[in-house]
Amino acid sequence: MVDLPQGVSAPPDGALPHPDVSSGFAAYVHIPFCAVRCGYCDFNTYTNVSFGQGATPDTYAESVMREIDLSRKVLCLNSGSDDAVGTRSKLGFADATSDGGVQGSGASLGASADDANTHDAARPKLTSVFFGGGTPTLLDAHDLRTILEHLRNTFGIMPGAEVTTEANPETITPEYLEILKSAGFNRISFGMQSAVPRVLQTLDRKHTPGQVRRVTEWARDIGFEYSVDIIYGTPGESLSDWERSVREVISLEPDHISAYGLTIEPGTKMGNQLARGQIAAQDDAVLAQKYERADELLNRAGYQWYEISNWAKPGHESRHNLTYWKGGNWWGYGPGAHSHINGVRFWNVKHPLAYANRLAAGAENNSPAAGREILSDAERREEYIMLGIRLAEGIAQPCGIDPQVIKQLIARGLLQEQPARSRGQLVLTRQGRLLADMVIRELW
């Protein structure tokens, strides 16, 4: 499991130096429980769920709502700060925006049109909400609804906001989806991973390919947008296995598809198997071939790549994830969750019981934050490059980059020539997507 980053101590009351999010912010809600821990997973998740009050699936919502209350105090005490305004222009970027550039992108979804008018206009509104994990749908659907309602009552949700939950196919029923729909969820992200039973078994996934088709049909009939995730590079997966998965996910007609290369981390079950020689990681050439084949098939089916690992039908890009990639503001609720508010990154204690106990302390100083870092202008510039270059729109050429570096990247086929020469926009080629880390190092 990934350790928390190094940083400095966070204030016990959670106070931030520049808390103004009056233009809106996103909310991420981490659900740390899983029925089974997948062999490749290094997320902050737990299959032992008997931790105590506020840290079990049936009492967890109360802890999250306490953190929501805390975030209201932190974010609403000092509305009107102009700290965030002009930050990008100060760093020398031609496309400077103060809000991360996420307003207005994507399709209009079904949050209540009254949400933006139910609170004081000076109070920040949520631009998107995303429940992830773990397995959010291990919680009772009414608990997810309760948390979402508390966010709505506390901050308000912008009209048309994207409200998503991740879901494992084996945890869903039509009745569950109906409750989510009535609560204001409008998007489901299903974890399919593969259409090949043998590959699913290697990944320790418990659903069958047939269950994925069934739940996506339910979601479509009930009126959800839905995304489907798949993974390439599982040990033992052939190119034909991968093509079968890509063709199957296309046949499900999702609005959005994520295709991730499997990373085997030390300390995971698969990491230990790799260290003992029980499995073999696929080499980079095979992984590149699988990525290129997926891109070809998805493009042919009408899906456009908009981020290295993500494709969507036009207008259905994940606006919540674009908040991350464009350096916007978000608050992450839950154990181990990370947040970013106006150049300050902070993260919560990892263990569910430690998280619950911090919030249940009953004192003013009850923030679950374990640490934080305040990004310098140079660090924010680096993040702009690292995150923005992943997007199909690319980034405006940062000041201070040697023009010869750009010319060499174009000559090596890693950056597209036309946008770089005509408007100073750095956009990866397909080959550049495969070597994005190298491109980032060159631009730094």
Side-chain angles (χ1 to χ4, degrees):
M1 188 180 296
V2 173
D3 292 330
L4 292 175
Q6 297 294 320
V8 299
S9 297
D13 61 356
L16 294 168
H18 308 292
D20 176 36
V21 289
S22 56
S23 62
F25 72 106
Y28 170 76
V29 181
H30 184 65
I31 309 299
F33 308 116
C34 283
V36 175
R37 189 172 179 83
C38 297
Y40 58 90
C41 179
D42 68 340
F43 295 160
N44 189 40
T45 62
Y46 303 84
T47 56
N48 173 8
V49 296
S50 301
F51 292 129
Q53 187 67 23
T56 62
D58 57 341
T59 62
Y60 180 68
E62 66 188 48
S63 295
V64 175
M65 289 191 290
R66 287 191 176 109
E67 189 181 0
I68 293 169
D69 292 341
L70 171 74
S71 68
R72 176 186 57 80
K73 295 177 184 178
V74 171
L75 297 175
C76 295
L77 284 176
N78 189 25
S79 274
S81 164
D82 62 359
D83 175 76
V85 178
T87 296
R88 283 179 179 249
S89 58
K90 183 170 67 175
L91 300 182
F93 300 131
D95 64 343
T97 63
S98 62
D99 63 359
V102 297
Q103 275 73 15
S105 62
S108 178
L109 298 177
S112 169
D114 295 329
D115 283 338
N117 300 316
T118 57
H119 294 276
D120 184 339
R123 182 169 293 182
K125 305 296 192 295
L126 294 172
T127 57
S128 64
V129 182
F130 193 102
F131 285 64
T135 308
T137 46
L138 274 187
L139 266 61
D140 189 285
H142 295 282
D143 286 335
L144 298 187
R145 178 171 66 186
T146 296
I147 295 171
L148 181 59
E149 287 177 348
H150 200 60
L151 284 167
R152 180 182 291 113
N153 293 335
T154 301
F155 294 110
I157 298 177
M158 287 186 177
E162 183 184 85
V163 182
T164 305
T165 185
E166 294 180 336
N168 282 2
E170 72 274 17
T171 64
I172 290 296
T173 64
E175 293 75 19
Y176 195 108
L177 290 174
E178 291 282 7
I179 294 170
L180 295 184
K181 185 67 174 176
S182 67
F185 287 88
N186 48 41
R187 187 174 181 274
I188 309 289
S189 179
F190 292 111
M192 171 179 157
Q193 317 314 0
S194 177
V196 180
R198 171 177 48 80
V199 175
L200 289 174
Q201 185 175 10
T202 301
L203 294 171
D204 291 323
R205 303 293 292 187
K206 298 305 175 185
H207 65 268
T208 65
Q211 285 176 306
V212 180
R213 180 165 294 279
R214 186 158 59 247
V215 297
T216 55
E217 289 173 353
W218 293 340
R220 184 188 309 117
D221 291 345
I222 292 169
F224 282 101
E225 292 202 1
Y226 58 95
S227 175
V228 180
D229 294 356
I230 49 177
I231 291 177
Y232 60 94
T234 301
E237 178 194 63
S238 66
L239 180 59
S240 62
D241 288 336
W242 173 239
E243 286 196 12
R244 175 179 168 186
S245 293
V246 177
R247 293 182 186 280
E248 176 65 17
V249 76
I250 290 170
S251 76
L252 300 176
E253 300 182 342
D255 305 284
H256 182 283
I257 295 171
S258 298
Y260 300 110
L262 179 65
T263 301
I264 301 178
E265 299 288 354
T268 62
K269 176 183 173 182
M270 293 185 77
N272 294 333
Q273 291 173 329
L274 183 64
R276 292 193 296 264
Q278 295 173 319
I279 59 173
Q282 296 192 10
D283 64 37
D284 290 343
V286 174
L287 293 174
Q289 187 178 14
K290 289 181 176 180
Y291 181 90
E292 290 171 339
R293 187 60 177 144
D295 193 43
E296 292 169 0
L297 292 171
L298 292 169
N299 288 341
R300 194 180 303 165
Y303 293 90
Q304 298 175 357
W305 84 272
Y306 71 97
E307 191 276 339
I308 286 176
S309 299
N310 290 274
W311 292 257
K313 294 178 180 177
H316 294 273
E317 300 82 2
S318 170
R319 283 178 278 156
H320 183 84
N321 286 340
L322 283 168
T323 299
Y324 301 151
W325 294 318
K326 293 190 174 186
N329 288 324
W330 77 90
W331 191 296
Y333 300 92
H338 288 232
S339 305
H340 170 259
I341 302 293
N342 295 327
V344 180
R345 293 195 180 278
F346 53 100
W347 46 88
N348 288 341
V349 293
K350 289 178 63 173
H351 197 278
L353 186 57
Y355 170 79
N357 287 343
R358 287 265 193 116
L359 288 159
E364 287 294 318
N365 297 331
N366 63 340
S367 169
R372 74 181 190 181
E373 58 182 346
I374 299 176
L375 301 175
S376 66
D377 285 354
E379 289 168 329
R380 296 181 79 169
R381 177 182 182 276
E382 289 176 354
E383 287 207 351
Y384 171 78
I385 294 171
M386 178 180 67
L387 298 173
I389 199 66
R390 299 179 61 88
L391 298 172
E393 65 193 59
I395 58 173
Q397 182 172 325
C399 298
I401 299 291
D402 185 344
Q404 290 302 317
V405 171
I406 306 301
K407 289 181 180 179
Q408 290 170 8
L409 290 171
I410 292 172
R412 290 156 62 187
L414 302 179
L415 289 178
Q416 296 181 27
E417 182 174 9
Q418 193 278 330
R421 295 194 185 282
S422 65
R423 48 194 173 89
Q425 195 77 0
L426 307 184
V427 179
L428 295 174
T429 63
R430 183 189 284 171
Q431 181 67 15
R433 285 183 255 163
L434 294 170
L435 298 172
D437 289 345
M438 178 191 298
V439 174
I440 290 167
R441 287 194 297 271
E442 295 283 342
L443 295 176
W444 279 1

